[in-house]
Amino acid sequence: FVYLLALTLRFGSVLDMVQALGLSGGETAQYLLLNLAFAPNAVLLTSAFLLGPGFALGVGTVVSPAVVVLGPLPLLGLLAAVPDPGNPSDWWAAHMLVPVVVAAVAAWRQQSETPTLRWDEGALRGLGGGLGAAAGLSVLMAFAGGAAGPGRLREFGAPVAEVGLNAVVW
């Protein structure tokens, strides 16, 4: 949801990229398919941003809630959602609420489907669910990164161990 919101807010940049490339109708369709193919990676990298460690889009780059340092990026529409270099704007600070809200909704759903009145059972459920989700996210994050090309793009993705640790903490 957060990634789609960021992409929607910067949709003008996506249109500018398509115009700058001067694509025909068929080429625009291929460009759209290429962007859709990378969408799962973009969602996973957004989770790395939301959890705190951020991610890299090339050698010497970092995209995190604290700072954004970018170099030249490929003209991919999905990268329009990346915040501008410097310190992310104030609305990015709201990212800290996302994991808390997701956890609260998950706890509410679990309690409404299989209720328990024992605090220790509820705590174990939450702990087990959180550890399982953190492990699953870490495995997926390992597949979402790696080299995206030669040269600058040989470092692409998020630090898996940091994302896993932050996911456990959140």
Side-chain angles (χ1 to χ4, degrees):
F1 174 76
V2 173
Y3 174 73
L4 289 176
L5 176 65
L7 191 60
T8 302
L9 291 174
R10 299 181 57 126
F11 194 69
S13 298
V14 176
L15 295 176
D16 291 343
M17 286 181 196
V18 172
Q19 288 177 347
L21 291 171
L23 302 176
S24 68
E27 292 169 337
T28 302
Q30 290 176 344
Y31 181 75
L32 177 64
L33 288 175
L34 177 68
N35 279 281
L36 287 175
F38 286 118
N41 293 49
V43 170
L44 285 169
L45 293 179
T46 301
S47 68
F49 180 89
L50 292 172
L51 289 170
F55 55 92
L57 291 173
V59 176
T61 66
V62 65
V63 179
S64 73
V67 66
V68 177
V69 177
L70 297 174
L73 296 174
L75 288 177
L76 280 175
L78 350 132
L79 296 180
V82 174
D84 293 326
N87 293 329
S89 62
D90 293 337
W91 77 272
W92 280 106
H95 85 279
M96 294 178 65
L97 295 175
V98 174
V100 175
V101 171
V102 169
V105 169
W108 174 78
R109 284 191 64 192
Q110 178 66 29
Q111 184 64 12
S112 65
E113 291 174 8
T114 54
T116 181
L117 296 177
R118 295 182 50 197
W119 69 270
D120 57 340
E121 187 176 318
L124 284 174
R125 284 182 186 177
L127 179 62
L131 289 175
L137 180 64
S138 296
V139 168
L140 291 173
M141 196 65 65
F143 289 112
R152 261 187 101 267
L153 293 177
R154 70 181 180 270
E155 289 183 22
F156 185 87
V160 177
E162 288 180 42
V163 170
L165 179 62
N166 283 10
V168 168
V169 171
W170 278 105

